[in-house]
Amino acid sequence: MGVHDGHRDRMRKRFLENELNGFADHEALELLLYYAIPRGDVNPLAHALMDRFGSLSGVFSAPVELLAQVKGVGTQTAVLLRLVPQIAQRARLTDLERELALNTRARVGQYLLELFSRERNEAVYEICLDGKGKLLACRRLGEGSTSAVNLDIRQIVQNAITFCASSVILAHNHPSGVALPSQADQGATLRAKAALESIDVRLEDHIIVADGEYVSFSESGYLG
């Protein structure tokens, strides 16, 4: 057993005894890298990733193509770094879906802040609810640039029919950090509302998420 194997064993023992308590961020990342790179000293790589992307969050948010630009990061390592946070997010969303009826603005906001936490571009989602506010489905309708996304009215209506929704919440993010609706947002929302009303489904709200905050069209009076 080489010196690096002994170091790995000590790091694993620390984790088993204390979980991540007492670990620096680069050490936590180093521990994860063991499972993509089975041999050798990955401490310099952990430091290089932290230096390049600024934080653990930055590392886990970086696209595969940028991760692969860091010397020592192969495909397997890049996939692991992208996969782990997405699995964790899916687990959190599953818990929220199971435990919370999305029947208050605060609950919807909590769910959406988690949903959009890893989106880098502007994206739009449709949430289909039953009469009691229980989540029937959450569908990603599309992705735009960092500044624009279009609402697919036909798909919104089709999803509402498919999942027998009583009401729908639309949501999209503004990666620019300003959670205020544009005129284009308002116009598209009113078109979606009219289309849903034609099949007797209520557009409960359209919510914009930005920089850890959210704005409700309903509360702001944009739904008429």
Side-chain angles (χ1 to χ4, degrees), residues 24-36:
D25 285 354
H26 75 274
E27 290 178 313
L29 183 57
E30 179 184 352
L31 184 60
L32 179 61
L33 290 171
Y34 294 164
Y35 298 94

Side-chain angles (χ1 to χ4, degrees), residues 147-212:
S147 61
V149 71
N150 294 318
L151 291 180
D152 186 338
I153 304 298
R154 180 177 297 180
Q155 189 61 56
I156 289 169
V157 170
Q158 184 58 57
N159 287 340
I161 293 171
T162 298
F163 296 106
C164 301
S166 295
S167 63
V168 161
I169 295 173
L170 299 175
H172 76 278
N173 62 325
H174 281 177
S176 63
V178 180
L180 293 176
S182 65
Q183 288 188 339
D185 291 334
Q186 296 176 47
T189 301
L190 292 177
R191 290 194 295 274
K193 178 184 177 184
L196 288 167
E197 286 175 346
S198 73
I199 58 168
D200 199 28
V201 174
R202 183 176 70 261
L203 179 59
E204 186 72 31
D205 209 341
H206 185 170
I207 292 177
I208 299 176
V209 175
D211 198 23

Side-chain angles (χ1 to χ4, degrees), residues 12-219:
R12 292 189 185 98
K13 183 179 179 182
R14 280 179 62 192
F15 175 73
L16 290 173
E17 291 176 348
N18 300 295
E19 297 190 330
L20 286 179
N21 295 318
F23 276 72
D25 285 354
H26 75 274
E27 290 178 313
L29 183 57
E30 179 184 352
L31 184 60
L32 179 61
L33 290 171
Y34 294 164
Y35 298 94
I37 303 173
R39 293 287 183 271
D41 183 7
V42 297
N43 180 273
L45 179 56
H47 278 287
L49 285 163
M50 293 290 289
D51 290 344
R52 172 68 185 273
F53 300 107
S55 65
L56 276 177
S57 177
V59 172
F60 288 134
S61 299
V64 167
E65 56 270 21
L66 291 184
L67 290 168
Q69 292 177 7
V70 178
K71 185 177 180 180
V73 175
T75 300
Q76 187 167 319
T77 302
V79 169
L80 180 69
L81 292 173
R82 292 295 294 140
L83 178 62
V84 167
Q86 291 186 41
I87 289 176
Q89 182 194 44
R90 179 168 293 190
R92 291 191 297 270
L93 287 172
T94 299
D95 288 343
L96 287 170
E97 291 167 4
R98 182 173 61 247
E99 295 173 4
L100 296 176
L102 301 181
N103 54 7
T104 70
R105 206 74 61 207
R107 288 176 173 179
V108 173
Q110 179 184 1
Y111 179 76
L112 291 176
L113 287 174
E114 182 63 50
L115 184 67
F116 283 106
S117 64
R118 307 207 66 81
E119 292 284 1
R120 295 186 301 276
N121 291 328
E122 189 161 343
V124 60
Y125 286 83
E126 177 181 6
I127 298 171
C128 296
L129 305 172
D130 69 8
K132 295 182 179 179
K134 180 180 178 181
L135 180 70
L136 299 172
C138 178
R139 289 294 179 266
R140 197 174 194 270
L141 296 174
E143 178 179 311
S145 65
T146 58
S147 61
V149 71
N150 294 318
L151 291 180
D152 186 338
I153 304 298
R154 180 177 297 180
Q155 189 61 56
I156 289 169
V157 170
Q158 184 58 57
N159 287 340
I161 293 171
T162 298
F163 296 106
C164 301
S166 295
S167 63
V168 161
I169 295 173
L170 299 175
H172 76 278
N173 62 325
H174 281 177
S176 63
V178 180
L180 293 176
S182 65
Q183 288 188 339
D185 291 334
Q186 296 176 47
T189 301
L190 292 177
R191 290 194 295 274
K193 178 184 177 184
L196 288 167
E197 286 175 346
S198 73
I199 58 168
D200 199 28
V201 174
R202 183 176 70 261
L203 179 59
E204 186 72 31
D205 209 341
H206 185 170
I207 292 177
I208 299 176
V209 175
D211 198 23
E213 298 181 350
Y214 57 89
V215 169
S216 160
F217 274 53
S218 178
E219 288 185 344

